[in-house]
Amino acid sequence: MEIGYAVVTGALLAAALFCLVGAPVLVLGLEGAAQRALLIAASAAAAVGFLARVVRVLWRFDGGAAAAAVGVRQPSQPGRTRPDS
């Protein structure tokens, strides 16, 4: 579930970044080298934004792996929160 959320929100962020960075091509009517450079920059921004969003979401939803690595563990029975119970 988390992977789907990460990919969908990453794709939305990538689309928004591409449109934001690439908008001057349409607004200003750029052509040639300027158009190509701006579209490459828009593609790079979209790719970086996508990867950053996916990594951030998956890092936050690590499934308790970070807590397990530090030695914090869940009680074996529901409702028992103290280690001596």
Side-chain angles (χ1 to χ4, degrees), residues 15-71:
L17 285 172
F18 185 84
C19 290
L20 185 68
V21 176
V25 171
L26 294 175
V27 173
L28 301 175
L30 298 176
E31 295 179 4
Q35 176 187 15
R36 181 172 164 78
L38 206 51
L39 290 178
I40 289 173
S43 298
V48 168
F50 176 80
L51 289 175
R53 178 63 183 167
V54 169
V55 167
R56 179 164 186 222
V57 168
L58 293 180
W59 194 275
R60 287 179 56 201
F61 292 114
D62 64 351
V70 202

Side-chain angles (χ1 to χ4, degrees), residues 8 26 53 55 73 81 84:
V8 168
L26 294 175
R53 178 63 183 167
V55 167
R73 61 184 191 96
T81 56
D84 59 345

